[in-house]
């Protein structure tokens, strides 16, 4: 069985292209002045424009276009100076106008790319287009399960209708489900750094449809693809694609043909099911929206936006490596997760030792967080408190053993390390007078170790230092202890 799978994996190659929708976090909707909302009473954030009333006219939200330009630039696209909106015509009850305002052949951005760090190689994924459109409303299915198939009836909530959406389409450059997942992670982090969307997977403010096909390794001709929907987590994206690749190979191996379909991923069964035979672009009867004038995106504005772009994950990773001296692995770890990276940056503002801060975040902190299934932000340890702890270790005011117990206490209570050290009397003893008394006692009680040291067994000193650390519950400053013993015994 395993051999068969391996043979088939050599015989076929996987080809994936992703279409990602991102809800922008602008104040207002794409073509009207309604505020964006989430989880509010249905149909309370609407107006004649987003309800599609006759005679109402759309007006473009400039902030949304600015976000689109930011995203396109971050993805290395060229910006189209001349860009227009099209109507995409179809019927669905969550869409009051019976068409969606979208972009077709003149999108805001084209011809970009993004580099995906796969650990031992980099996959360059070309970005076909970045375009602007509007979101639909939401159907709420009334019935015991909330699912459409078991609903008694459905109601429509138009609060989301008209929310600005950006669609980001890749070329079919992605070569495995794992690469697809990593692409999503990298794209999401990039968008978070740009501060254009909250990119919540649970709330659906970033969602991807995956187009996938398999082809014989021996040909360049792409196979027929299916488009998979409902991949609303990184894990589902990978799992859904893995299933679909296997299914398509089975179909081809049994002598049948893959049909161009839209399929739905069901996480319960971890399989995909046919939703509909795939529609083609011409089915939508795209035509330029006569209610909207063409957009001119002027070079001056583009340059202004470009010069205000924040540092992006790729540049950040390089800076961590080259200026902060972190290893390849550590730089990638610290730069490629928005939350970790923000936490790291914040901590460095209070204590500028990148290496030791990085070690704490990647070591003890990550271990605790993984164990307790929380995120850095949800933990009670503020970047400032972590900085203070690491500062005390770096200045040798506490040793690593005490640091660990202080850290645990910080994790539980959210208190500052200073408070905990004071409360528990954990401050390191660096006062030589106090230490000498303890050292004299230990020297007296351990004549064997002392004579071993004097006869040239340098290691015996470790034993003596160990006794002193034990006597002070780890509070003695080991370096000072060492110096004093050496002086006393020579
Ligand atoms: P549509 O507009 O009908 O969805 P597009 O041609 O714009 O179709 O392609 C949508 C996505 O499908 C893109 O991400 C593209 O890279 C991807 N794609 C196109 N052909 C294939 C293929 N044969 N296998 C896998 N993905 C493909
Ligand atoms: Mg599509
Ligand atoms: Zn409105």
């Amino acid at each position: 069985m395993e051999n068969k799978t391996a043979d088939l994996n050599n015989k076929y190659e996987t080809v994936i292209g992703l279409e990602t929708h991102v809800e922008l976090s602008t104040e207002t909707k794409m073509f009207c002045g309604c505020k964006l909302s989430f989880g509010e009473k249905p149909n309370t954030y609407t107006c004649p424009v987003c309800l599609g009333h006759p005679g109402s006219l759309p007006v473009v939200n400039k902030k949304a276009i600015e976000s689109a330009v930011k995203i396109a630039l971050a993805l290395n696209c060229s910006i189209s100076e001349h860009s227009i909106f099209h109507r995409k015509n179809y019927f669905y009850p969550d869409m009051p106008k019976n068409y969606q305002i979208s972009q077709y052949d003149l999108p805001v951005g084209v011809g970009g790319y993004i580099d995906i760090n796969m650990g031992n190689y980099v996959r360059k994924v070309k970005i076909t287009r970045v375009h602007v459109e509007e979101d639909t409303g939401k159907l709420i299915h009334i019935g015991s399960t909330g699912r459409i198939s078991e609903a008694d009836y459905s109601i429509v909530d138009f609060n989301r209708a008209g929310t600005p959406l950006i669609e980001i389409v890749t070329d079919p450059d992605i070569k495995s489900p794992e690469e697809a997942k990593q692409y999503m992670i990298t794209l999401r982090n990039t968008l978070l750094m740009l501060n254009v969307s909250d990119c919540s997977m649970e709330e659906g403010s970033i969602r991807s449809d995956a187009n996938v096909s398999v082809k014989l390794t021996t040909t360049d001709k792409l196979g027929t693809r299916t488009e998979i929907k409902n991949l609303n987590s990184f894990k589902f994206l990978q799992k859904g694609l893995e299933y679909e690749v296997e299914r398509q190979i089975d179909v081809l191996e049994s002598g049948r043909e893959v049909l161009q379909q839209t399929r739905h991923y069901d996480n319960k069964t971890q399989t995909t099911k046919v939703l509909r035979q795939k529609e083609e672009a011409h089915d939508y009867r795209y035509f330029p929206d006569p209610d909207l004038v063409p957009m001119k995106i002027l070079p001056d504005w583009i340059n202004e936006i470009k010069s205000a772009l924040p540092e992006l994950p790729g540049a950040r990773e390089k800076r961590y490596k080259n200026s902060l001296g972190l290893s390849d692995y550590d730089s990638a770890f610290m730069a490629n997760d928005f939350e970790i990276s923000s936490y790291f940056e914040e901590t460095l503002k209070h204590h500028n030792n990148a290496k030791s801060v990085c070690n704490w975040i990647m070591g003890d902190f990550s271990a605790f967080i993984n164990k307790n299934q929380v995120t850095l932000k949800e933990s009670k340890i503020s970047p400032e408190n972590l900085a203070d702890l690491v500062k005390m270790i770096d200045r040798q005011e506490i040793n690593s053993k005490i640091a660990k117990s202080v850290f645990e206490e910080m994790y539980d209570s959210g208190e500052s390390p200073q408070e905990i050290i004071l409360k528990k009397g954990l401050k390191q003893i660096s006062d030589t007078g106090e230490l000498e008394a303890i050292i004299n006692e230990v020297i007296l009680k351990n004549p064997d170790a002392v004579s071993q040291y004097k006869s040239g067994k340098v290691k015996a000193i470790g034993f003596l230092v160990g006794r002193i650390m034990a006597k002070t519950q780890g509070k003695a400053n080991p370096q000072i202890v060492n110096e004093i013993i050496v002086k006393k015994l020579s």
Side-chain angles (χ1 to χ4, degrees):
M1 184 64 200
E2 221 158 69
N3 272 340
K4 190 180 149 219
T5 313
D7 285 349
L8 289 179
N9 284 343
N10 289 334
K11 187 169 166 189
Y12 293 101
E13 269 170 20
T14 301
V15 176
I16 298 167
L18 294 182
E19 297 170 272
T20 307
H21 285 97
V22 184
E23 267 176 18
L24 294 180
S25 48
T26 46
E27 281 284 310
T28 54
K29 292 186 179 180
M30 189 63 228
F31 298 110
C32 63
C34 291
K35 283 211 179 325
L36 299 192
S37 64
F38 185 83
E40 301 290 342
K41 192 162 169 270
N43 300 308
T44 50
Y45 287 75
T46 56
C47 74
V49 174
C50 54
L51 290 175
H53 288 189
S56 64
L57 285 172
V59 178
V60 172
N61 178 341
K62 189 175 175 189
K63 269 281 174 203
I65 302 301
E66 183 182 329
S67 294
V69 172
K70 270 191 197 173
I71 294 170
L73 287 171
L75 299 175
N76 305 293
C77 291
S78 4
I79 308 298
S80 321
E81 250 191 74
H82 177 74
S83 183
I84 65 170
F85 287 100
H86 272 73
R87 291 184 179 181
K88 181 179 181 180
N89 300 279
Y90 66 98
F91 169 77
Y92 204 67
D94 63 5
M95 196 175 61
K97 300 192 296 295
N98 281 354
Y99 61 83
Q100 176 193 31
I101 306 177
S102 182
Q103 295 198 285
Y104 186 55
D105 54 356
L106 289 168
V108 167
V110 293
Y113 69 87
I114 182 169
D115 283 328
I116 308 303
N117 186 343
M118 294 302 296
N120 47 357
Y121 65 95
V122 172
R123 170 72 60 213
K124 193 176 225 75
V125 176
K126 291 196 283 312
I127 303 293
T128 321
R129 52 194 275 127
V130 172
H131 80 232
V132 182
E133 55 187 37
E134 55 176 344
D135 211 344
T136 59
K138 258 186 198 163
L139 288 185
I140 303 168
H141 306 298
I142 307 297
S144 55
T145 59
R147 257 185 258 134
I148 189 166
S149 50
E150 284 128 35
D152 299 324
Y153 60 95
S154 301
I155 56 172
V156 197
D157 173 12
F158 288 114
N159 282 350
R160 195 180 68 178
T163 296
L165 272 189
I166 301 294
E167 180 168 342
I168 301 160
V169 182
T170 77
D171 280 10
D173 287 347
I174 299 167
K175 300 210 182 331
S176 70
E178 212 183 330
E179 285 183 10
K181 176 179 146 195
Q182 200 55 41
Y183 166 84
M184 267 302 278
I185 292 175
T186 310
L187 178 65
R188 182 170 177 272
N189 281 322
T190 302
L191 296 169
L192 285 169
M193 297 232 182
L194 291 174
N195 195 22
V196 290
S197 166
D198 63 12
C199 289
S200 159
M201 306 277 278
E202 301 88 63
E203 291 175 5
S205 49
I206 182 167
R207 42 191 197 261
S208 283
D209 299 333
N211 295 266
V212 55
S213 63
V214 296
K215 68 171 189 64
L216 289 173
T217 320
T218 48
T219 168
D220 287 334
K221 194 171 169 281
L222 296 187
T224 304
R225 71 186 144 115
T226 58
E227 178 170 339
I228 312 173
K229 297 198 175 281
N230 198 38
L231 300 167
N232 46 26
S233 76
F234 296 130
K235 206 174 114 210
F236 291 1
L237 177 66
Q238 189 173 348
K239 284 253 177 280
L241 281 168
E242 278 166 2
Y243 171 82
E244 184 60 18
V245 167
E246 233 174 84
R247 188 193 69 83
Q248 290 187 12
I249 292 179
D250 279 351
V251 167
L252 294 177
E253 282 294 303
S254 68
R256 288 171 292 147
E257 271 178 33
V258 173
L259 301 175
Q260 186 167 334
Q261 291 167 333
T262 301
R263 299 178 69 93
H264 179 93
Y265 176 67
D266 177 4
N267 187 52
K268 253 203 218 131
T269 54
Q270 303 202 343
T271 59
T272 64
K273 292 199 184 73
V274 191
L275 214 55
R276 53 178 180 262
Q277 302 303 317
K278 173 80 175 132
E279 63 289 341
E280 304 279 348
H282 62 248
D283 296 332
Y284 289 114
R285 304 293 189 269
Y286 278 97
F287 67 89
D289 192 319
D291 284 344
L292 285 157
V293 291
M295 281 191 293
K296 275 224 166 304
I297 306 179
L298 298 174
D300 278 356
W301 195 42
I302 299 171
N303 286 333
E304 203 181 299
I305 297 172
K306 195 183 232 162
S307 59
L309 283 183
E311 184 182 47
L312 297 170
R316 190 165 271 194
E317 186 179 335
K318 281 202 189 97
R319 177 168 63 85
Y320 287 173
K321 208 153 44 183
N322 300 335
S323 315
L324 301 187
L326 300 187
S327 71
D328 286 4
Y329 182 83
D330 292 0
S331 306
F333 190 97
M334 285 294 146
N336 291 321
D337 181 300
F338 176 71
E339 206 193 328
I340 292 177
S341 204
S342 312
Y343 195 99
F344 181 55
E345 290 285 317
E346 202 48 45
T347 310
L348 287 185
K349 280 188 199 154
H350 301 284
H351 179 52
N352 196 14
N353 184 342
K355 274 200 175 144
S356 39
V357 169
C358 170
N359 284 343
W360 267 88
I361 293 179
M362 288 182 66
D364 290 63
F365 209 167
S366 289
F368 262 77
I369 278 169
N370 290 339
K371 200 174 82 190
N372 297 304
Q373 305 245 337
V374 291
T375 65
L376 279 179
K377 226 171 44 198
E378 286 162 359
S379 92
K380 290 187 191 154
I381 300 183
S382 68
E384 197 173 350
N385 282 350
L386 182 69
D388 283 345
L389 178 72
V390 179
K391 203 186 290 172
M392 285 190 253
I393 305 165
D394 285 347
R395 292 182 182 160
Q396 303 199 344
E397 289 166 20
I398 53 174
N399 65 29
S400 61
K401 195 167 149 236
I402 288 186
K404 268 190 209 290
S405 73
V406 172
F407 179 82
E408 278 175 36
E409 182 81 25
M410 286 165 71
Y411 190 89
D412 287 336
S413 70
E415 284 176 309
S416 75
Q418 293 91 334
E419 282 172 300
I420 295 165
I421 286 167
L422 205 66
K423 202 171 66 185
K424 300 207 149 182
L426 291 173
K427 199 162 170 56
Q428 175 144 293
I429 312 170
S430 298
D431 176 61
T432 42
E434 196 178 333
L435 285 176
E436 274 194 54
I438 303 165
I439 292 169
N440 286 338
E441 196 189 324
V442 168
I443 287 179
L444 269 178
K445 280 196 177 153
N446 296 283
D448 288 355
V450 170
S451 59
Q452 275 174 11
Y453 176 75
K454 285 188 169 162
S455 67
K457 265 204 169 171
V458 192
K459 269 194 188 156
I461 211 161
F463 174 80
L464 293 170
V465 174
R467 300 304 312 148
I468 290 151
M469 294 311 288
K471 257 191 120 46
T472 57
Q473 283 109 39
K475 288 186 290 186
N477 179 327
Q479 246 177 331
I480 298 180
V481 169
N482 222 302
E483 280 163 26
I484 297 177
I485 301 184
V486 171
K487 229 191 299 169
K488 279 190 187 293
L489 296 186
S490 61

